[in-house]
Structures are given as structure tokens and as C-alpha cells.
């Protein structure tokens, strides 16, 4: 028995040949909150939040729950520090006070003047000055832009630039600079600081965009602009300069603004001799930025391709070849006498949300599979996720049975579950883990769903894991966002965090996964896992249980295979849950299901820092690119949709980035011997922590202690340099002794 490192509040590691202990509680908590849309404050407020990203922040993983996450902070002086991982921010949005172009001249102010009386010509001039991209000079195949415009990624192009824009940062105050929009990101640069202040945000992160203030109603400073609500727990506010129009004193101001715009132009022109440029009451820079942001932040709503299809970076490794389903099943020892591999769903005819390759009981024929599919929601029948290499106990996943109010039965489905149980010779019992609360499962009968009746399924025991649905999770994250961004209420930190119920939900997911792993490892019984449709809570439970049971999934490549297998191929609806490319921010299908899974992985990593080959930097990269749409990995809802869109041939895999920069994610504390151990984490509330490096990372006051693994990696580097120097000195000494030896012999003669 080995205890995990860290604070001492760790779970248990068990060798596969040893005995197991420590099973977590499964009782769920957290209120069944009402469904709510994504969070956001009123767009009319003048002090609306934005962000500052300290890319060098690192979580020590040892802060007690009762400690507010920013008590370790010293000051707000530094906006950022150099990132420990070069690839982590290479293609992501970030904020920095420094850039390679520090010291470059300030961007010129926009000039909007014309003596023409043609409104169309005036609009053309404004569009040319405020909206048009700057001229580029091609020099040896590279593009040279203005100092205040962003360096472009392969496939990225500038859509528009607005000058004299103010970024309203809730931490460091207003900053005036240039705002650029490309087909991939928003880029803001302010020359007011030395070095210049920079902000980059991938447009895939944007959830919604709102205009703040009106041309005729906003009178305060920085009260006219746009506010951008993001999916990664931050909001951005930009103020645009208003065009001032002098109204002659003898005109009634209220009456003037009540008439149509074109008539106001004519009145001012006739009375005061105004030119059309002076009569422009709508700020064209805001309109241009809003139009471009809406167009490229929501490409699916505007029938445009995702940027992943235009991104053409070259990576040494091809991430699309990482996961091969048959190779992964063979790694688990399949096929064998009890399980077979089938391609019955190769054309996605039986289940369009399942992959083409399944592992099913050898005793079940193809006709049996078709019959069972008619009794399971969405045709998602029980298929193998993982098999124990010794006991042959299995984890299978599926969707709820279509029992309905009348208690409908299926003999084929009952026989199929019996085949799964019979494939494990060491146990004459099988557990059916239903992720839902019992009340929800009963309520689903009214919709034609339900759960297995123990009287119909012999030797089966049904257990409910009390994990709430996607709507409750979405509301919980909204509350957590209000607690963590932009400011933290130190005096009420504990009560505010508790009111979100976020850690309650994390505990339920972890506890349910632990129960599954314990049944398979300790009791040597097979487990069938499902929720309603089997693509949200089911994926969380199976993936986490496999992470605990199989050390291969705790390596960098194995973790990528786990996500490809349990999340991507088995049809977690990433497009609907994240809202990739669409502007329906109030869509009820959105929910942080995958975020919860990654949070649970981090909780396990805290308790077992030596059992994972990767660090939390890999988890942060996953979540950032979950939203960025830079890679094709998380696009669309199923394997079938990705095949139809030719994602593997037209986009780059996220794993190409990871595998090409593995040293950035490797954990120097990793002990390969733990690959043969089972992890049983502690899941009680007193052992869980808020992942503040993710949820609170935009706050510049989050200058936390440097993680041990980063310091250890630096010491290993220094140690390697010293050892290399010792080897050089030894070789030099040996060469000197060899050179002097003949001279000594000659003198003796």
C-alpha cells in the first residue's frame, strides 16, 4: 500500500496483486437548481468585467479549502510572467504586458474627415480608415504588419482594425490601444505601458456579444462600446470613441433625436452647413468590430467554416494516428473466447452516435445486437469499454432501457446483460450503475425511458449514483463564475463557494467512479454504466474508473486515447454542450460536462502526484482548445459527423500539438512503477479543492506558489548540466594523463 503525496489527505494506491480498501461514499448532494442560461451582467453597466491572464501562475495544490485562493498573493504589480510551457499559449488567447515589439511607435489615430456631401462616399471613407486591414508587404514569404497588429498564424488573416479603443480591465484600469479582429481571434494592443500591453482571445471562446450604450444615450466616459461574454469564465469590455455632433442651441434636443437619422443630416446641413463626416452619429468602429466578431465567432450560424479548416500549421507528429480502436482493444487482450470485435455499425446504421467498431459478448449474434438496439435509447446498446486483464471483469456502457410507464420488457436485452455477466467466470452477479438520481430515473419513465427492473434482470443489482443532469451543472457553473470572476469576496469565500454546489457535483462524479472501480477490482464483478442517453454522465464515470484502474491511461498518449475512445468516438455531444460556432448562448443543451471530467482528473492528480506522466498544463491545454476551434479534435457531436466533414483530412489534431511538445507536459515526479497500481482517491468533501489555477486564473492577484514539479524539473536540468561538465572534466583528465605517461617512461629509460 502506497500513500499519495501532497498534503497527506490522499487516497490509496493498490498494487494489482494486493488487496484493496477505501471505497468512497456514493450519496449525492447538490440542489436540483432551476435551468438557467449562461451567466452575464447587464450590458448597460459601465464597470463591466474583463480579464488579465497571468500565464505564469501555478497552483501548488496544497491550499486548504478554507483558504481564499488569493491569500498567497503579494501584490498586483505584475500583470504576467513568462509561461512555463511554451506550447501552452502558443496558439491561445493570452494577456501580457510585454511583446517582442516593445518600444515600437504608437499606432496612429484614426482620421475621419471629409468635405464631401455624399453620405455613401463618407461611409466608404470611414470603412477605409476604420475597417480595412493595413497594407502588408510580402518579404521572403512572410507578412510584415503594422506594430499594433497581430502576427498571424498559418491560415489566419486580418478582418478589421479599430483604433482609439479602450479595454476596461477590472484589475488594472482602462487601457487605450488598437483592437484587431482576425478570422481566428481578437487582438488588443496598448502602447501606454512599457512593454506594451497585449490581449489575445480566440473567437471560439466567445459565448455572446452585446452592445453597451447607444450613440444618443451614452454620455459618460467609456459608456459606449461592446461587452464580450466568454465560455472560459471571463468577460471583456471595450469602449469605443463616440462621434460628437454639435446641435445648434435653438434646436429642441429631444425633438431632434426623435426624428429619423437622414432627416437630422439634412437639418444640420441646411442650418449649420455641416459636412456628412461631422453628422455621423453612429460609431463605425464599434459596428465594424461587432459585425466581424459576430461573423467569425459564430461561423456555424453564418455558414462559414471553422478556423480549424483554415489552420495549416505543420507539426512533426500526426495526432490523428494516435487512436486506433482495434489496436486499443487488442492492447486489452481482445478478442478472446468471451468477447468479439464487430464492425456491424460500420455505416452507423444501428446507432449513429456510436463508433464503427464495437467489442461485444461473443455469445451475442448480430441479430441480437439489432434487437437490443431497439430497446435502448438512441440505439446505444451495452458495449465494452474496459476489461480487467486478470479477472476478466468488465466495464460496459450504454443508454437507458425504453421501459416506459407500462414497464415494457425485452427478452433479448435481458439475455444480452446475462451474456455480459457470463463472460466473467469469477462472478455470478452484475451491477448496473445508473448515474441519475432515483427520482430522475423514475420520472424518465413518463418520457418512455426508465431503468432496469431487478426482477427481470436476474442476478443484477441496480444502484443509483445521484449525479444531476446537465441543466443543474450549467447553473452551478454560472454561480461559480460569479464567485470567481472578476473579483473574489474574501470575507464570504466559503459560503459563496458552497452555494454554487460545484464541489458537491465533483464529489458525486468521483464517488460514483470510485464505486465502479471498486466493484471491478475488489469484487471482481462486471459493471454496466448508463445515464439517460449514455453520452454525458456515462462518459464521465467510465473514463474516470478506467483512469483509476489502468495506468496506461495515466500516460500522455494513454490519456489522449482515453478521451478519443470514451468521449469522442462514443458520441459526447461536444458541439451542443460547448456551442461551437453558434450564437444560441441560451441553448438548453449547453453544459460543462467535459470540464467536470477534467476537474475530477485534476482532483485525482492532487492526491497522486507521482502516478501521472503529465502535469495540469496538459489539462489546461485541453480546456483552452476545447473552445478555441483551432483544432478539429473536439468539433461536431459524433464520429459519424466527423467522418462526413472529413475532419481527419482537412484539420489538424490537438494531439499533434501535444505529441510534438511532450516535454512541456511531462511530470518530472512521475514514477513509472505506479502504472501497475490501482488508484483509490478519497472523495469526501474535506479532501476536494477548487481548481483555482483554472477558475481563478484571469485574476492577476493569483500569484501562487510555484508547483513542486516545475522546481524539480529545473533542478533536473541543472543536475544534467553538472553531470555533463563532470564527464567533460574526466575525459580531459584522462587525455592529459595519457599524454604525460609516455614522457615519464622516456625519462626513466
Amino acid at each position: 500500500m502506497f500513500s499519495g503525496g501532497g498534503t497527506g489527505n490522499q487516497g490509496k494506491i493498490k498494487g494489482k496483486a494486493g488487496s484493496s480498501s477505501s471505497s468512497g461514499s456514493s450519496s449525492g448532494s447538490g440542489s436540483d437548481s432551476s435551468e438557467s442560461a449562461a451567466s452575464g451582467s447587464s450590458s448597460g453597466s459601465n464597470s463591466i468585467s474583463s480579464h488579465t491572464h497571468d500565464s505564469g501562475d501555478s497552483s501548488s495544490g496544497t491550499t486548504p479549502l478554507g483558504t481564499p485562493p488569493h491569500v498567497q498573493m503579494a501584490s498586483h504589480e505584475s500583470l504576467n510572467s513568462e509561461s512555463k510551457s511554451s506550447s501552452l499559449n502558443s496558439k491561445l488567447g493570452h494577456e501580457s504586458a510585454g511583446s517582442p515589439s516593445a518600444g515600437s511607435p504608437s499606432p496612429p489615430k484614426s482620421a475621419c474627415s471629409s468635405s464631401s456631401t455624399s453620405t455613401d462616399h463618407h461611409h466608404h471613407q470611414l470603412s477605409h480608415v476604420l475597417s480595412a486591414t493595413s497594407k502588408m508587404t510580402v518579404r521572403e514569404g512572410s507578412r510584415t504588419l503594422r506594430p499594433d497588429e497581430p502576427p498571424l498564424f498559418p491560415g489566419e488573416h486580418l478582418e478589421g482594425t479599430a483604433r482609439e479603443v479602450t479595454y476596461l480591465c477590472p484589475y488594472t484600469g482602462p487601457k487605450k490601444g488598437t483592437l484587431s479582429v482576425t478570422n481566428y481571434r481578437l487582438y488588443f494592443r496598448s502602447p501606454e505601458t512599457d512593454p506594451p500591453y497585449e490581449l489575445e482571445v480566440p473567437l471560439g471562446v466567445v459565448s455572446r456579444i452585446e452592445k453597451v450604450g447607444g450613440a444618443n444615450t451614452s454620455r459618460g466616459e467609456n459608456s459606449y462600446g461592446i461587452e464580450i461574454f466568454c465560455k472560459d469564465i471571463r468577460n471583456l469590455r471595450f469602449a469605443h470613441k463616440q462621434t460628437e455632433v454639435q446641435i445648434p442651441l435653438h434646436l429642441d434636443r429631444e425633438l431632434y433625436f426623435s426624428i429619423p437619422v437622414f432627416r437630422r443630416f439634412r437639418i444640420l446641413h441646411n442650418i449649420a452647413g455641416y459636412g456628412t463626416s461631422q453628422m455621423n452619429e453612429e460609431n463605425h468602429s464599434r459596428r465594424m468590430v461587432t459585425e466581424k466578431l459576430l461573423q467569425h465567432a459564430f461561423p456555424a450560424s453564418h455558414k462559414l467554416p471553422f478556423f480549424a479548416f483554415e489552420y495549416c500549421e505543420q507539426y512533426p507528429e500526426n495526432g490523428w494516428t494516435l487512436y486506433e480502436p482495434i489496436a486499443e482493444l487488442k492492447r486489452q487482450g481482445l478478442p478472446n473466447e468471451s468477447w468479439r470485435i464487430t464492425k456491424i455499425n460500420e455505416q452507423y446504421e444501428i446507432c449513429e452516435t456510436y463508433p464503427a467498431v464495437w467489442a461485444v459478448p461473443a455469445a451475442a449474434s448480430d441479430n441480437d445486437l439489432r434487437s437490443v438496439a431497439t430497446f435502448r435509447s438512441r440505439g446505444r446498446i451495452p458495449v465494452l469499454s474496459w476489461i480487467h486483464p486478470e479477472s476478466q471483469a468488465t466495464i460496459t456502457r450504454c443508454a437507458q432501457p425504453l421501459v416506459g410507464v407500462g414497464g415494457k420488457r425485452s427478452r433479448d436485452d435481458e439475455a444480452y446483460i446475462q451474456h455480459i455477466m457470463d463472460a466473467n467466470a469469477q462472478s455470478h452477479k452484475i451491477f448496473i450503475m445508473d448515474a441519475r438520481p432515483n427520482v430522475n430515473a423514475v420520472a424518465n419513465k413518463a418520457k418512455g425511458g426508465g431503468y432496469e427492473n431487478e426482477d427481470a434482470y436476474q442476478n443484477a443489482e441496480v444502484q443509483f449514483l445521484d449525479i444531476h443532469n446537465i441543466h443543474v451543472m450549467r447553473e452551478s457553473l454560472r454561480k461559480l463564475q460569479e464567485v470567481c470572476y472578476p473579483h473574489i469576496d474574501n470575507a464570504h469565500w466559503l459560503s459563496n463557494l458552497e452555494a454554487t454546489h460545484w464541489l458537491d457535483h465533483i464529489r458525486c462524479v468521483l464517488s460514483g467512479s470510485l464505486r465502479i472501480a471498486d466493484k471491478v477490482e475488489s469484487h471482481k464483478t462486471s459493471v454496466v454504466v448508463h445515464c439517460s442517453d449514455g453520452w454525458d454522465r456515462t462518459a464521465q464515470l467510465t473514463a474516470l474508473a478506467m483512469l483509476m484502474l489502468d495506468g496506461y491511461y495515466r500516460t500522455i498518449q494513454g490519456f489522449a486515447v482515453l478521451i478519443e475512445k470514451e468521449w469522442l468516438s462514443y458520441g459526447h455531444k461536444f458541439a451542443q454542450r460547448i456551442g461551437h460556432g453558434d450564437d444560441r448562448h441560451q441553448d438548453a443543451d449547453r453544459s460543462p460536462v467535459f470540464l467536470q471530467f477534467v476537474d475530477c482528473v485534476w482532483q485525482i492528480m492532487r492526491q497522486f502526484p507521482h502516478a501521472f506522466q503529465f502535469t495540469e498544463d496538459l489539462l489546461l491545454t485541453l480546456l483552452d482548445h476545447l473552445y478555441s476551434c483551432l483544432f478539429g479534435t473536439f468539433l461536431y457531436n459524433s464520429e459519424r459527423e466527423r467522418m462526413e466533414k472529413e475532419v481527419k483530412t482537412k484539420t489538424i489534431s490537438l494531439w499533434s500539438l501535444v505529441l510534438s511538445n511532450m516535454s512541456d507536459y511531462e511530470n518530472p515526479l512521475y514514477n513509472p512503477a505506479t502504472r501497475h497500481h490501482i488508484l483509490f482517491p478519497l472523495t469526501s468533501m474535506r479532501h476536494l479543492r477548487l481548481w483555482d489555477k483554472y477558475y481563478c486564473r484571469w485574476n492577476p492577484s493569483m500569484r501562487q506558489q510555484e508547483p513542486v514539479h516545475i522546481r524539480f524539473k529545473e533542478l533536473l536540468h541543472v543536475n544534467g548540466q553538472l553531470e555533463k561538465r563532470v564527464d567533460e572534466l574526466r575525459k580531459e583528465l584522462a587525455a592529459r594523463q595519457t599524454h604525460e605517461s609516455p614522457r615519464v617512461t622516456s625519462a626513466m629509460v
Side-chain angles (χ1 to χ4, degrees):
M1 189 75 67
F2 300 88
S3 65
T7 63
N9 294 331
Q10 275 65 41
K12 299 177 181 179
I13 304 180
K14 183 179 88 63
K16 288 189 176 179
S19 62
S20 64
S21 61
S22 177
S23 175
S25 171
S26 67
S27 62
S29 63
S31 61
D32 195 352
S33 304
S34 59
E35 181 174 327
S36 172
S39 65
S41 56
S42 172
S43 60
S45 172
N46 290 339
S47 58
I48 304 182
S49 54
S50 50
H51 88 282
T52 301
H53 179 193
D54 189 342
S55 59
D57 289 347
S58 305
S59 173
S60 65
T62 59
T63 305
L65 175 64
T67 305
H70 59 300
V71 299
Q72 298 175 0
M73 299 303 318
S75 67
H76 292 216
E77 295 176 1
S78 175
L79 297 180
N80 82 314
S81 62
E82 186 176 355
S83 175
K84 300 296 182 183
S85 172
S86 60
S87 66
L88 186 61
N89 289 321
S90 60
K91 302 293 183 292
L92 296 175
H94 71 278
E95 181 166 347
S96 101
S99 71
S101 58
S104 58
S106 301
K109 297 182 179 179
S110 58
C112 302
S113 61
S114 172
S115 58
S116 171
T117 58
S118 170
T119 304
D120 292 339
H121 177 65
H122 171 60
H123 287 175
H124 171 74
Q125 282 191 320
L126 283 174
S127 175
H128 176 74
V129 174
L130 294 173
S131 305
T133 60
S134 299
K135 295 182 178 180
M136 305 178 189
T137 57
V138 180
R139 189 175 305 165
E140 297 180 355
S142 62
R143 291 181 173 180
T144 303
L145 303 178
R146 298 172 58 97
D148 55 357
E149 292 174 353
L152 302 178
F153 301 147
E156 184 181 20
H157 54 81
L158 197 60
E159 289 290 335
T161 300
R163 312 194 190 283
E164 294 193 64
V165 175
T166 302
Y167 168 49
L168 304 179
C169 178
Y171 307 113
T172 60
K175 298 183 181 300
K176 184 174 292 187
T178 301
L179 182 65
S180 301
V181 180
T182 73
N183 57 333
Y184 167 62
R185 58 183 163 153
L186 176 150
Y187 176 84
F188 175 81
R189 186 176 188 274
S190 172
E192 293 182 345
T193 60
D194 187 18
Y197 183 92
E198 292 182 329
L199 168 69
E200 294 183 36
V201 182
L203 298 184
V205 174
V206 177
S207 175
R208 77 179 190 269
I209 302 166
E210 293 185 358
K211 292 183 177 180
V212 178
N216 303 327
T217 59
S218 300
R219 295 292 177 261
E221 185 180 5
N222 298 329
S223 60
Y224 178 84
I226 58 174
E227 185 170 9
I228 301 173
F229 298 86
C230 300
K231 302 170 185 175
D232 58 356
I233 313 187
R234 55 175 166 168
N235 301 334
L236 309 174
R237 170 79 180 274
F238 294 94
H240 291 254
K241 185 177 180 180
Q242 291 180 259
T243 303
E244 297 182 359
V245 179
Q246 298 296 328
I247 308 299
L249 295 178
H250 62 276
L251 286 181
D252 185 283
R253 192 177 186 86
E254 183 175 344
L255 176 63
Y256 171 79
F257 282 114
S258 68
I259 62 178
V261 174
F262 72 94
R263 293 191 62 189
R264 299 181 213 165
F265 288 170
R266 186 174 301 173
I267 291 174
L268 291 180
H269 180 69
N270 292 337
I271 296 179
Y274 278 76
T276 55
S277 65
Q278 294 168 294
M279 294 186 294
N280 180 43
E281 295 176 71
E282 182 180 4
N283 191 304
H284 285 252
S285 70
R286 185 178 82 162
R287 184 175 66 179
M288 179 276 299
V289 168
T290 303
E291 290 176 354
K292 295 299 183 182
L293 285 176
L294 289 173
Q295 184 179 8
H296 294 284
F298 311 119
S301 298
H302 293 81
K303 298 181 179 180
L304 294 175
F306 290 102
F307 180 72
F309 290 91
E310 302 179 60
Y311 181 54
C312 52
E313 182 68 89
Q314 299 294 322
Y315 290 97
E317 301 290 339
N318 180 12
W320 291 124
T321 63
L322 177 68
Y323 172 63
E324 208 288 312
I326 295 181
E328 168 59 14
L329 291 173
K330 288 183 177 179
R331 185 192 70 84
Q332 298 186 33
L334 300 181
N336 57 29
E337 60 181 11
S338 301
W339 293 87
R340 65 184 178 95
I341 299 175
T342 177
K343 294 185 178 180
I344 189 175
N345 197 45
E346 192 169 18
Q347 302 301 321
Y348 307 103
E349 294 177 352
I350 296 180
C351 180
E352 63 180 13
T353 61
Y354 261 15
V357 177
W358 302 349
V360 297
S365 66
D366 287 353
N367 288 333
D368 292 335
L369 300 181
R370 292 187 177 92
S371 178
V372 172
T374 62
F375 189 66
R376 291 282 169 174
S377 177
R378 315 282 183 172
R380 297 172 66 89
I381 73 170
V383 292
L384 181 73
S385 285
W386 190 79
I387 183 170
H388 197 285
E390 298 172 2
S391 68
Q392 300 297 293
T394 60
I395 298 175
T396 53
R397 57 179 298 169
C398 59
Q400 65 182 340
L402 301 179
V403 176
V405 178
K408 182 180 177 182
R409 292 180 59 176
S410 169
R411 300 294 182 183
D412 293 320
D413 188 78
E414 294 166 12
Y416 186 81
I417 297 297
Q418 185 68 35
H419 291 326
I420 296 176
M421 186 188 71
D422 293 342
N424 175 18
Q426 297 197 34
S427 177
H428 299 287
K429 188 175 183 179
I430 190 169
F431 286 92
I432 299 176
M433 298 291 188
D434 193 323
R436 302 166 293 183
N438 189 1
V439 176
N440 293 19
V442 173
N444 276 347
K445 285 187 175 182
K447 302 177 182 179
Y451 58 93
E452 293 83 355
N453 187 338
E454 292 182 356
D455 295 334
Y457 293 83
Q458 296 182 358
N459 302 315
E461 180 179 335
V462 179
Q463 294 186 2
F464 296 96
L465 302 181
D466 297 319
I467 303 174
H468 288 282
N469 60 30
I470 61 173
H471 312 297
V472 175
M473 303 307 181
R474 182 177 63 249
E475 175 67 12
S476 178
L477 181 64
R478 184 193 67 79
K479 293 179 179 178
L480 182 64
Q481 179 180 8
E482 294 178 351
V483 170
C484 296
Y485 187 90
H487 300 291
I488 296 172
D489 184 356
N490 185 26
H492 304 93
W493 168 253
L494 275 180
S495 58
N496 290 340
L497 180 60
E498 182 183 12
T500 68
H501 295 290
W502 182 256
L503 290 180
D504 288 329
H505 300 317
I506 295 296
R507 182 189 62 80
C508 287
V509 175
L510 275 174
S511 179
S513 304
L514 180 61
R515 290 174 67 179
I516 295 170
D518 182 60
K519 295 299 182 186
V520 173
E521 174 63 23
S522 305
H523 299 271
K524 297 180 173 54
T525 55
S526 297
V527 179
V528 177
V529 185
H530 71 74
C531 50
S532 296
D533 292 318
W535 50 42
D536 291 318
R537 289 166 283 191
T538 301
Q540 290 177 333
L541 294 169
T542 57
L544 288 171
M546 292 162 66
L547 194 75
M548 298 173 190
L549 293 167
D550 194 337
Y552 168 70
Y553 297 124
R554 300 194 289 268
T555 65
I556 294 178
Q557 293 187 351
F559 189 62
V561 168
L562 180 66
I563 292 174
E564 284 281 345
K565 181 177 184 294
E566 291 301 301
W567 289 90
L568 292 162
S569 69
Y570 279 103
H572 175 65
K573 302 195 297 182
F574 279 101
Q576 291 188 14
R577 295 293 178 258
I578 305 303
H580 285 148
D582 73 67
D583 55 5
R584 302 187 303 272
H585 66 273
Q586 292 184 329
D587 190 346
D589 280 331
R590 295 196 181 182
S591 190
V593 178
F594 187 74
L595 169 60
Q596 280 186 316
F597 161 73
V598 177
D599 194 329
C600 290
V601 174
W602 180 82
Q603 301 287 348
I604 301 174
M605 289 174 63
R606 279 192 62 257
Q607 297 189 29
F608 305 101
H610 307 290
F612 289 82
Q613 188 188 16
F614 52 88
T615 65
E616 66 178 346
D617 285 343
L618 177 59
L619 304 183
L620 293 171
T621 299
L622 284 179
L623 292 178
D624 285 333
H625 287 303
L626 173 67
Y627 307 117
S628 72
C629 297
L630 185 65
F631 300 98
T633 302
F634 295 117
L635 297 182
Y636 305 108
N637 290 317
S638 64
E639 181 179 287
R640 179 185 64 84
E641 290 185 17
R642 296 182 192 97
M643 290 286 290
E644 292 176 350
K645 301 296 183 180
E646 302 177 86
V647 169
K648 287 191 175 182
T649 58
K650 294 184 177 181
T651 69
I652 299 172
S653 170
L654 170 60
W655 312 122
S656 299
L657 168 69
V658 174
L659 296 179
S660 299
N661 300 275
M662 283 188 62
S663 61
D664 293 334
Y665 307 106
E666 288 178 345
N667 177 16
L669 302 178
Y670 175 59
N671 181 4
T674 60
R675 182 166 173 172
H676 305 291
H677 296 153
I678 311 301
L679 307 185
F680 283 159
L682 300 176
T683 60
S684 62
M685 284 296 294
R686 60 196 177 95
H687 297 298
L688 301 182
R689 302 288 182 271
L690 181 71
W691 187 15
D692 49 9
K693 186 176 180 181
Y694 178 76
Y695 300 109
C696 304
R697 60 178 172 161
W698 308 117
N699 194 323
S701 64
M702 297 300 299
R703 297 175 52 85
Q704 300 163 348
Q705 297 175 2
E706 186 177 58
V708 175
H709 73 266
I710 292 180
R711 181 58 178 160
F712 189 72
K713 183 179 291 188
E714 294 173 351
L715 293 176
L716 286 178
H717 178 69
V718 173
N719 184 64
Q721 290 180 325
L722 293 176
E723 289 180 348
K724 182 179 179 180
R725 180 57 179 160
V726 169
D727 291 339
E728 292 175 353
L729 291 174
R730 284 175 178 171
K731 291 178 181 179
E732 183 180 339
L733 179 60
R736 185 176 302 173
Q737 290 175 346
T738 302
H739 178 70
E740 292 178 351
S741 180
R743 294 169 54 187
V744 173
T745 304
S746 174
M748 292 176 62
V749 173

